[in-house]
Amino acid sequence: MVIDYIKVFLVGGTLCLIAQILMDYFKMQTPYVMVTYVTSGVILTFLGVYEPIVEFGASGATVPIIGFGYSLANGVIKGISKDGFLGIFTGGTTATAGGIAAAIFFGYVMAVVFTPKAKP
């Protein structure tokens, strides 16, 4: 069990380290890093490279934003096998609907609980 935690920490930490390097040394802004990570997750999943990383690192590979791209790609692959061409458009949305709904819900709750202040 401890070995699993170490694997999760190493994979998740490496992904976060790469993002931090992109922001610190290459001066990429956060939205660009996020888009790069989601796109990378999709591309690496379609190439078959990301699945072994997920098998090794488990939630260390699926929880960061690159895991969202992985979920989108897997949803599209399953959608295509189930619904054909229409699965291209519905598969990713169906696969990630729970995460998107949770993000909207908890974002709303946090906005209600904590008073947001506009930056001057």
Side-chain angles (χ1 to χ4, degrees):
M1 185 165 140
V2 173
I3 297 296
D4 291 335
Y5 290 144
I6 292 171
K7 288 189 220 178
V8 168
F9 177 77
L10 289 175
V11 171
T14 302
L15 291 171
C16 292
L17 175 69
I18 292 168
Q20 195 65 48
I21 289 171
L22 290 173
M23 288 189 289
D24 288 346
Y25 293 107
F26 296 104
K27 304 297 181 201
M28 284 182 75
Q29 296 175 353
T30 306
Y32 295 117
V33 173
M34 292 175 67
V35 169
T36 301
Y37 261 40
V38 171
T39 306
S40 298
V42 170
I43 292 169
L44 291 174
T45 301
F46 278 122
L47 294 176
V49 175
Y50 204 68
E51 188 67 36
I53 296 171
V54 170
E55 290 174 8
F56 177 79
S59 62
T62 57
V63 170
I65 194 74
I66 196 168
F68 183 72
Y70 167 75
S71 297
L72 281 172
N74 275 337
V76 169
I77 291 169
K78 290 177 185 174
I80 290 172
S81 64
K82 181 181 173 192
D83 299 328
F85 184 74
L86 187 61
I88 294 172
F89 304 105
T90 61
T93 306
T94 304
T96 58
I100 294 169
I104 291 169
F105 174 75
F106 288 115
Y108 177 76
V109 168
M110 291 299 116
V112 169
V113 172
F114 300 102
T115 306
K117 295 180 179 137
K119 294 181 181 180

